[in-house]
mmCIF file of all heavy atoms in Angstrom:
data_model
loop_
_atom_site.group_PDB
_atom_site.id
_atom_site.type_symbol
_atom_site.label_atom_id
_atom_site.label_comp_id
_atom_site.label_asym_id
_atom_site.label_seq_id
_atom_site.Cartn_x
_atom_site.Cartn_y
_atom_site.Cartn_z
ATOM 1 N N SER V 75 -43.029 24.630 40.501
ATOM 2 C CA SER V 75 -43.895 23.660 39.832
ATOM 3 C C SER V 75 -44.417 24.148 38.485
ATOM 4 O O SER V 75 -44.745 23.335 37.617
ATOM 5 C CB SER V 75 -45.075 23.296 40.736
ATOM 6 O OG SER V 75 -45.803 24.452 41.113
ATOM 7 N N ASP V 76 -44.480 25.483 38.293
ATOM 8 C CA ASP V 76 -44.972 25.995 37.014
ATOM 9 C C ASP V 76 -43.991 25.721 35.867
ATOM 10 O O ASP V 76 -44.346 25.873 34.693
ATOM 11 C CB ASP V 76 -45.277 27.489 37.106
ATOM 12 C CG ASP V 76 -44.068 28.321 37.529
ATOM 13 O OD1 ASP V 76 -43.064 27.734 37.999
ATOM 14 O OD2 ASP V 76 -44.130 29.555 37.390
ATOM 15 N N ARG V 77 -42.768 25.289 36.196
ATOM 16 C CA ARG V 77 -41.794 24.943 35.162
ATOM 17 C C ARG V 77 -41.981 23.520 34.642
ATOM 18 O O ARG V 77 -41.444 23.163 33.586
ATOM 19 C CB ARG V 77 -40.366 25.090 35.707
ATOM 20 C CG ARG V 77 -39.950 26.498 36.058
ATOM 21 C CD ARG V 77 -38.494 26.514 36.537
ATOM 22 N NE ARG V 77 -37.596 25.939 35.541
ATOM 23 C CZ ARG V 77 -36.350 25.546 35.789
ATOM 24 N NH1 ARG V 77 -35.871 25.643 37.013
ATOM 25 N NH2 ARG V 77 -35.592 25.046 34.832
ATOM 26 N N LEU V 78 -42.710 22.705 35.389
ATOM 27 C CA LEU V 78 -42.814 21.289 35.055
ATOM 28 C C LEU V 78 -43.404 21.005 33.670
ATOM 29 O O LEU V 78 -42.882 20.145 32.949
ATOM 30 C CB LEU V 78 -43.613 20.551 36.129
ATOM 31 C CG LEU V 78 -42.856 20.309 37.437
ATOM 32 C CD1 LEU V 78 -43.815 19.836 38.525
ATOM 33 C CD2 LEU V 78 -41.748 19.285 37.224
ATOM 34 N N PRO V 79 -44.503 21.666 33.266
ATOM 35 C CA PRO V 79 -45.041 21.369 31.932
ATOM 36 C C PRO V 79 -44.016 21.535 30.813
ATOM 37 O O PRO V 79 -43.932 20.699 29.910
ATOM 38 C CB PRO V 79 -46.198 22.373 31.791
ATOM 39 C CG PRO V 79 -46.635 22.619 33.198
ATOM 40 C CD PRO V 79 -45.372 22.611 34.007
ATOM 41 N N ALA V 80 -43.203 22.589 30.880
ATOM 42 C CA ALA V 80 -42.191 22.819 29.843
ATOM 43 C C ALA V 80 -41.081 21.775 29.917
ATOM 44 O O ALA V 80 -40.588 21.297 28.886
ATOM 45 C CB ALA V 80 -41.607 24.221 29.975
ATOM 46 N N LEU V 81 -40.676 21.405 31.127
ATOM 47 C CA LEU V 81 -39.616 20.406 31.291
ATOM 48 C C LEU V 81 -40.067 19.054 30.751
ATOM 49 O O LEU V 81 -39.308 18.360 30.056
ATOM 50 C CB LEU V 81 -39.233 20.277 32.768
ATOM 51 C CG LEU V 81 -38.571 21.499 33.406
ATOM 52 C CD1 LEU V 81 -38.317 21.250 34.889
ATOM 53 C CD2 LEU V 81 -37.261 21.842 32.702
ATOM 54 N N VAL V 82 -41.295 18.681 31.068
ATOM 55 C CA VAL V 82 -41.821 17.404 30.583
ATOM 56 C C VAL V 82 -42.037 17.457 29.071
ATOM 57 O O VAL V 82 -41.755 16.491 28.358
ATOM 58 C CB VAL V 82 -43.129 17.046 31.309
ATOM 59 C CG1 VAL V 82 -43.747 15.793 30.699
ATOM 60 C CG2 VAL V 82 -42.872 16.825 32.791
ATOM 61 N N ALA V 83 -42.523 18.588 28.575
ATOM 62 C CA ALA V 83 -42.737 18.731 27.127
ATOM 63 C C ALA V 83 -41.432 18.555 26.360
ATOM 64 O O ALA V 83 -41.408 17.969 25.267
ATOM 65 C CB ALA V 83 -43.348 20.098 26.818
ATOM 66 N N ASP V 84 -40.345 19.044 26.940
ATOM 67 C CA ASP V 84 -39.032 18.877 26.306
ATOM 68 C C ASP V 84 -38.651 17.402 26.227
ATOM 69 O O ASP V 84 -38.132 16.940 25.206
ATOM 70 C CB ASP V 84 -37.976 19.657 27.080
ATOM 71 C CG ASP V 84 -36.581 19.475 26.502
ATOM 72 O OD1 ASP V 84 -36.381 19.800 25.320
ATOM 73 O OD2 ASP V 84 -35.691 19.000 27.226
ATOM 74 N N LEU V 85 -38.914 16.660 27.296
ATOM 75 C CA LEU V 85 -38.610 15.224 27.294
ATOM 76 C C LEU V 85 -39.478 14.489 26.277
ATOM 77 O O LEU V 85 -39.012 13.571 25.599
ATOM 78 C CB LEU V 85 -38.828 14.642 28.693
ATOM 79 C CG LEU V 85 -37.887 15.151 29.781
ATOM 80 C CD1 LEU V 85 -38.301 14.600 31.144
ATOM 81 C CD2 LEU V 85 -36.436 14.755 29.473
ATOM 82 N N VAL V 86 -40.730 14.880 26.166
ATOM 83 C CA VAL V 86 -41.622 14.273 25.171
ATOM 84 C C VAL V 86 -41.121 14.579 23.765
ATOM 85 O O VAL V 86 -41.106 13.705 22.889
ATOM 86 C CB VAL V 86 -43.072 14.780 25.358
ATOM 87 C CG1 VAL V 86 -43.961 14.306 24.213
ATOM 88 C CG2 VAL V 86 -43.634 14.303 26.694
ATOM 89 N N HIS V 87 -40.697 15.823 23.557
ATOM 90 C CA HIS V 87 -40.164 16.217 22.248
ATOM 91 C C HIS V 87 -38.924 15.404 21.885
ATOM 92 O O HIS V 87 -38.715 15.061 20.710
ATOM 93 C CB HIS V 87 -39.837 17.708 22.248
ATOM 94 C CG HIS V 87 -39.199 18.205 20.983
ATOM 95 N ND1 HIS V 87 -39.909 18.344 19.806
ATOM 96 C CD2 HIS V 87 -37.908 18.575 20.709
ATOM 97 C CE1 HIS V 87 -39.093 18.780 18.853
ATOM 98 N NE2 HIS V 87 -37.880 18.923 19.378
ATOM 99 N N ARG V 88 -38.120 15.094 22.878
ATOM 100 C CA ARG V 88 -36.909 14.303 22.653
ATOM 101 C C ARG V 88 -37.213 12.819 22.490
ATOM 102 O O ARG V 88 -36.315 12.024 22.225
ATOM 103 C CB ARG V 88 -35.934 14.501 23.824
ATOM 104 C CG ARG V 88 -35.325 15.892 23.895
ATOM 105 C CD ARG V 88 -34.563 16.101 25.194
ATOM 106 N NE ARG V 88 -34.004 17.436 25.269
ATOM 107 C CZ ARG V 88 -32.768 17.767 24.910
ATOM 108 N NH1 ARG V 88 -31.954 16.832 24.440
ATOM 109 N NH2 ARG V 88 -32.337 19.006 24.997
ATOM 110 N N GLN V 89 -38.481 12.464 22.672
ATOM 111 C CA GLN V 89 -38.942 11.084 22.502
ATOM 112 C C GLN V 89 -38.143 10.108 23.377
ATOM 113 O O GLN V 89 -37.635 9.091 22.901
ATOM 114 C CB GLN V 89 -38.871 10.664 21.028
ATOM 115 C CG GLN V 89 -39.785 11.483 20.128
ATOM 116 C CD GLN V 89 -39.750 11.019 18.680
ATOM 117 O OE1 GLN V 89 -38.712 10.620 18.160
ATOM 118 N NE2 GLN V 89 -40.900 11.065 18.027
ATOM 119 N N VAL V 90 -38.059 10.439 24.654
ATOM 120 C CA VAL V 90 -37.385 9.543 25.587
ATOM 121 C C VAL V 90 -38.160 8.238 25.667
ATOM 122 O O VAL V 90 -39.360 8.174 25.360
ATOM 123 C CB VAL V 90 -37.266 10.183 26.989
ATOM 124 C CG1 VAL V 90 -36.405 11.436 26.932
ATOM 125 C CG2 VAL V 90 -38.653 10.502 27.565
ATOM 126 N N ALA V 91 -37.483 7.174 26.083
ATOM 127 C CA ALA V 91 -38.112 5.856 26.130
ATOM 128 C C ALA V 91 -39.085 5.732 27.290
ATOM 129 O O ALA V 91 -40.090 5.010 27.201
ATOM 130 C CB ALA V 91 -37.043 4.773 26.225
ATOM 131 N N VAL V 92 -38.794 6.414 28.395
ATOM 132 C CA VAL V 92 -39.653 6.368 29.578
ATOM 133 C C VAL V 92 -39.385 7.618 30.409
ATOM 134 O O VAL V 92 -38.269 8.135 30.428
ATOM 135 C CB VAL V 92 -39.396 5.084 30.411
ATOM 136 C CG1 VAL V 92 -37.936 4.975 30.803
ATOM 137 C CG2 VAL V 92 -40.282 5.030 31.654
ATOM 138 N N ILE V 93 -40.423 8.107 31.092
ATOM 139 C CA ILE V 93 -40.285 9.251 31.979
ATOM 140 C C ILE V 93 -40.406 8.768 33.420
ATOM 141 O O ILE V 93 -41.403 8.147 33.788
ATOM 142 C CB ILE V 93 -41.358 10.327 31.705
ATOM 143 C CG1 ILE V 93 -41.188 10.898 30.304
ATOM 144 C CG2 ILE V 93 -41.274 11.444 32.751
ATOM 145 C CD1 ILE V 93 -42.288 11.877 29.900
ATOM 146 N N ALA V 94 -39.376 9.027 34.224
ATOM 147 C CA ALA V 94 -39.419 8.734 35.654
ATOM 148 C C ALA V 94 -39.808 10.029 36.352
ATOM 149 O O ALA V 94 -38.987 10.940 36.489
ATOM 150 C CB ALA V 94 -38.067 8.222 36.146
#
Side-chain angles (χ1 to χ4, degrees):
S75 57
D76 58 346
R77 294 182 56 196
L78 285 168
L81 294 177
V82 174
D84 178 59
L85 294 174
V86 172
H87 176 72
R88 291 170 181 265
Q89 297 182 324
V90 297
V92 56
I93 296 175

